[in-house]
Amino acid sequence: MKKLGLLGFICLVLFGCESDPLPELCKVADCRENKYVKMRIPNGIFEKTIELFWPVAYKNRISLIPGDIVFIEAEETDTGLGNFKLVEEVVNPEKTIEFSFTQIDNKIDMVLVVKNPFLKSIKYHLKTMDFTGNIDKVSSCPVKASSSVSEQWDYVVLELILTDMHFLEPNEVMSCIY
């Protein structure tokens, strides 16, 4: 487990960079602007409008922050699922994955729901980041074909990073692992 600042973590993990590329990245990617986040934390309420933040979908990674309900169109590629495209509404239901990352009412617990439109089960790697910059690899459960899965944490998660999204191979175990 490493400790990094929020921007440092995202920059290293999500974009593989050594300096802060956010202004440059936002010239070519759909960065979030004026994203309002309000959530319960152990000692009260966290409330902030983030003026500029990393894109939800960039290359073959997905970044979710509390309150996100997003639709991502994905295509089958040589290395799994990729060519992610954030869309406002479901136009191509056969290739649009829905992600919902929210907090349970009156608790600090966080919930991720992933809806898989594909005719094959999907799997991905998942990392969480808390408010202190602690980064953890956490298990994620496969999402069965044409189904959904829900995952829950009993602590506050500031951001989820999904990577290595792929169709489950016949020899892969259908279990909740990293």
Side-chain angles (χ1 to χ4, degrees):
M1 179 169 31
K2 283 184 176 179
K3 267 196 164 185
L4 293 172
L6 174 62
L7 291 178
F9 163 74
I10 296 169
C11 182
L12 287 172
V13 173
L14 190 57
F15 303 101
C17 59
E18 293 181 18
S19 61
D20 180 7
L22 188 58
E24 291 302 311
L25 174 70
C26 293
K27 291 177 183 176
V28 296
D30 291 327
C31 289
R32 297 173 177 131
E33 293 184 34
N34 300 318
K35 172 71 176 176
Y36 175 72
V37 176
K38 181 178 180 179
M39 58 191 297
R40 283 168 301 292
I41 57 176
N43 58 350
I45 299 288
F46 172 80
E47 189 171 11
K48 181 174 179 75
T49 297
I50 303 168
E51 292 180 22
L52 192 64
F53 198 73
W54 310 100
V56 173
Y58 182 73
K59 296 187 178 181
N60 292 333
R61 292 175 173 87
I62 297 170
S63 163
L64 301 171
I65 56 178
D68 277 345
I69 298 174
V70 298
F71 304 106
I72 304 288
E73 287 186 359
E75 297 175 359
E76 188 168 3
T77 67
D78 295 352
T79 58
L81 284 167
N83 300 324
F84 297 142
K85 179 182 172 189
L86 177 66
V87 294
E88 294 288 322
E89 61 185 73
V90 178
V91 176
N92 298 301
E94 71 283 356
K95 66 176 188 174
T96 304
I97 306 168
E98 182 179 340
F99 297 91
S100 172
F101 180 46
T102 57
Q103 192 169 49
I104 295 177
D105 288 341
N106 300 317
K107 293 186 177 187
I108 63 169
D109 299 36
M110 309 297 295
V111 176
L112 170 67
V113 177
V114 181
K115 295 181 183 176
N116 175 10
F118 295 100
L119 300 176
K120 298 177 187 177
S121 297
I122 58 175
K123 180 73 175 112
Y124 47 84
H125 287 175
L126 189 58
K127 292 181 182 177
T128 62
M129 187 178 71
D130 66 19
F131 275 91
T132 64
N134 288 322
I135 305 157
D136 289 310
K137 293 179 179 178
V138 294
S139 65
S140 60
C141 299
V143 189
K144 292 182 180 180
S146 304
S147 187
S148 65
V149 71
S150 177
E151 307 204 36
Q152 183 173 337
W153 298 271
D154 62 357
Y155 52 90
V156 176
V157 175
L158 179 61
E159 182 172 21
L160 290 175
I161 305 285
L162 292 88
T163 60
D164 189 30
M165 188 174 289
H166 61 278
F167 291 117
L168 205 62
E169 297 294 329
N171 61 342
E172 282 186 89
V173 179
M174 187 80 165
S175 63
C176 301
I177 56 173
Y178 177 75

